[in-house]
Amino acid sequence: EICRKKICRNVRLNTLLNDMSIEEEIYKFAESKPWDEALNDRGAVYSGPAIYAITTRAPFQRLNSQSRILYIGKTGALGGTSDRCRLYAYRYAPAGQHGARVRLGVSQVSGIGHDVLLRWTPLDSEGAAKELEGVLLEAYAEEHLELPPFNRKG
């Protein structure tokens, strides 16, 4: 039973990722903007449900190989002018909240010279985004033996 579940999971991952590495899949996301530009002009960023990743241009070391992915997330509203969109939370979240922790981490990565990008793909629903987020995080964990540094699911 356990082997069957693992085989099914691997078939599902390979089917959804088209036998690509997680890095290749993330870099196929439809849109991208420099992180600071996305935060400062969130109204110019897609406002609906999306799967997104915060990435660097240059790879950094992980437990198993290297990665450019700092965070993989999903949202019902990525950008836009609403104070309920994800980018608003990243810009204005108070200390101690998830958005503030990600903002601090990105600031530290930028501070040591890495260019940080926001990459996203619009989706039909938040449910679709949630499912794809799970698949991408699972693929990342399989490939790198850990989650992206700013993801905290355990």
Side-chain angles (χ1 to χ4, degrees):
E1 181 66 28
I2 291 173
C3 279
R4 187 183 312 153
K5 285 181 182 176
K6 184 167 179 67
I7 289 168
C8 288
R9 186 193 75 220
N10 286 339
V11 167
R12 183 178 71 135
L13 282 174
N14 288 338
T15 300
L16 287 169
L17 297 176
N18 301 313
D19 292 322
M20 296 178 153
S21 77
I22 186 69
E23 303 290 321
E24 292 169 319
E25 188 64 28
I26 295 291
Y27 273 76
K28 281 181 36 190
F29 278 11
E31 306 283 339
S32 70
K33 277 188 178 284
W35 175 256
D36 289 336
E37 186 179 319
L39 284 186
N40 291 331
D41 190 13
R42 67 183 188 277
V45 174
Y46 173 71
S47 62
I51 183 77
Y52 66 97
I54 302 169
T55 67
T56 60
R57 289 192 196 276
F60 53 91
Q61 192 61 46
R62 302 304 290 151
L63 284 176
N64 186 38
S65 113
Q66 295 186 330
S67 177
R68 292 179 172 95
I69 302 168
L70 297 169
Y71 182 82
I72 297 170
K74 53 95 173 103
T75 183
L78 181 59
T81 57
S82 169
D83 63 357
R84 299 184 71 104
C85 76
R86 179 69 68 208
L87 292 178
Y88 182 91
Y90 284 138
R91 182 165 179 139
Y92 297 109
Q97 289 189 358
H98 174 68
R101 285 191 292 275
V102 170
R103 183 177 64 238
L104 175 63
V106 169
S107 175
Q108 291 170 338
V109 168
S110 296
I112 60 172
H114 284 280
D115 292 330
V116 179
L117 301 169
L118 176 68
R119 298 178 179 279
W120 70 91
T121 291
L123 296 172
D124 294 334
S125 69
E126 192 169 1
K130 183 176 183 174
E131 182 178 351
L132 187 53
E133 177 195 37
V135 169
L136 292 174
L137 286 171
E138 187 175 342
Y140 187 98
E142 279 190 17
E143 195 170 311
H144 296 289
L145 307 178
E146 61 186 331
L147 289 173
F150 299 163
N151 284 90
R152 59 183 179 160
K153 278 186 176 177

